[in-house]
């Protein structure tokens, strides 16, 4: 089965149809730049561009870089425009996509669900924490495979600053940090998270996971196992599609098998 997944980030909006049997993209993903300012209308236009690129007409799963409650309401917007706060993202995006069935979920939670099903967290018990390093730092916490949603551990305080203002991959680029200096910051952050949660496994996601060999060997003194995300930067797209498939299946059951068009 194929469902469309879209990953909305602070710098880019990317999406593709996802083969949910394989847990991988069914076609090469299409990406557009996130508008600045990243207002609801501007981002919705970007999502529509991605969908229209494929001519997709079925259910769509979307991630959002912030807390999403009740499957629709945005509560935080650290790396997009503040006008997103209290927006009904599901209604807005569903309307912009012409009434296609839409689901919305936190971006790191989506990436984590995908990694736990198809990637580095498969069959792992205990406490597993996925951390995505990108424009900010996203987090997904699992206990025996069950997600604790909307954890937002990138906003933990570290040396008087929000962690993502010190250790995101955007900070690495903006401050011109080499791998060694950036790895030291990531190490301090992981040590702080480990002190709080004592996970058995850290999964490192986001675009920087493609270069895990350049920084993971530099991180010392962490008790937990640390591995790169196997789905790398496609994990959010896959997880968004998984969420959409699950929600769409529930909707069909509630409505006696009739595919409901809703926003």
């Amino acid at each position: 089965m194929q469902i469309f997944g879209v990953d909305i980030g602070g710098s880019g909006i990317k999406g593709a149809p996802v083969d949910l049997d394989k847990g991988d993209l069914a076609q090469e993903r299409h990406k557009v730049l996130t508008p600045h300012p990243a207002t609801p209308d501007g981002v919705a236009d970007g999502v529509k561009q991605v969908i229209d690129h494929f001519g997709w007409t079925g259910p769509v799963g979307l991630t959002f870089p912030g807390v999403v409650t009740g499957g629709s309401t945005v509560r935080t917007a650290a790396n997009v425009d503040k006008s997103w706060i209290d927006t009904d993202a599901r209604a807005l995006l569903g309307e912009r996509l012409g009434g296609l069935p839409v689901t919305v979920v936190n971006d790191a939670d989506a990436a984590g669900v995908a990694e736990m099903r198809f990637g580095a967290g498969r069959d792992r018990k205990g406490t597993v924490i996925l951390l995505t390093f990108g424009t900010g730092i996203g987090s997904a916490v699992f206990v025996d495979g069950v997600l604790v949603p909307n954890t937002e551990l990138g906003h933990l305080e570290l040396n008087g600053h929000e962690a993502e203002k010190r250790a995101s991959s955007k900070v690495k680029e903006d401050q011109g940090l080499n791998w060694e200096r950036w790895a030291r910051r990531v190490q301090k952050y992981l040590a702080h998270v480990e002190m709080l949660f004592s996970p058995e496994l850290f999964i490192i996601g986001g675009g920087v996971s493609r270069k895990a060999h350049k920084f993971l060997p530099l991180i010392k003194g962490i008790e937990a196992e640390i591995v790169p995300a196997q789905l790398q930067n496609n994990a959010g797209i896959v997880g968004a599609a998984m969420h959409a498939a699950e929600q769409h299946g529930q909707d069909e059951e509630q409505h006696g098998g009739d595919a409901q068009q809703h926003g």
Side-chain angles (χ1 to χ4, degrees):
M1 181 171 77
Q2 291 188 15
I3 295 280
F4 204 95
V6 178
D7 192 8
I8 299 171
S11 59
I13 300 168
K14 52 189 181 289
V18 174
D19 184 330
L20 291 174
D21 296 319
K22 297 179 180 177
D24 200 1
L25 307 190
Q27 298 183 50
E28 186 174 342
R29 72 187 190 189
H30 182 65
K31 179 177 179 178
V32 300
L33 295 178
T34 302
H36 291 288
T39 61
D41 280 340
V43 170
D45 286 342
V47 170
K48 188 174 187 304
Q49 286 180 46
V50 173
I51 301 291
D52 287 350
H53 176 81
F54 294 89
W56 185 264
T57 58
V60 177
L62 299 117
T63 75
F64 184 80
V67 171
V68 179
T69 58
S72 61
T73 305
V74 173
R75 296 300 186 199
T76 66
N79 295 302
V80 289
D81 194 77
K82 295 295 183 282
S83 58
W84 271 103
I85 295 174
D86 293 331
T87 294
D88 186 333
R90 183 171 179 172
L92 170 75
L93 293 161
E95 181 181 352
R96 190 61 54 91
L97 298 178
L100 295 183
V102 164
T103 61
V104 185
V105 65
N106 173 268
D107 57 348
D109 286 351
V113 166
E115 283 293 326
M116 294 300 285
R117 173 84 63 84
F118 296 110
R122 187 168 38 199
D123 300 326
R124 294 294 295 251
K125 297 298 184 183
T127 302
V128 176
I129 299 180
L130 172 128
L131 297 167
T132 58
F133 291 81
T135 306
I137 299 175
S139 61
V141 177
F142 295 86
V143 180
D144 290 336
V146 178
L147 173 69
V148 181
N150 291 314
T151 48
E152 295 290 289
L153 301 184
H155 301 299
L156 286 172
E157 184 177 316
L158 189 64
N159 296 337
H161 302 272
E162 278 192 23
E164 68 175 28
K165 299 289 198 302
R166 294 281 297 163
S168 71
S169 63
K170 183 178 188 296
V171 167
K172 179 188 182 300
E173 294 170 10
D174 289 350
Q175 298 184 11
L177 302 176
N178 61 25
W179 288 108
E180 289 78 13
R181 287 188 63 194
W182 185 68
R184 282 200 296 274
R185 294 189 182 190
V186 173
Q187 178 178 300
K188 286 181 181 178
Y189 173 60
L190 293 179
H192 189 54
V193 176
E194 182 169 65
M195 180 268 292
L196 293 170
F197 293 94
S198 301
E200 281 76 25
L201 176 67
F202 281 117
I203 303 172
I204 305 301
V208 75
S209 61
R210 293 192 303 270
K211 301 176 182 177
H213 62 284
K214 293 190 175 184
F215 68 94
L216 285 190
L218 303 174
I219 294 174
K220 310 295 183 186
I222 305 298
E223 292 290 328
E225 183 182 357
I226 310 172
V227 299
Q230 290 181 8
L231 304 181
Q232 298 183 348
N233 212 20
N234 289 335
I237 297 173
V238 174
M242 290 170 61
H243 186 253
E246 181 181 310
Q247 293 300 118
H248 189 58
Q250 290 175 1
D251 288 346
E252 288 197 324
E253 285 179 18
Q254 290 171 1
H255 297 287
D258 294 325
Q260 296 293 308
Q261 299 293 305
H262 55 78

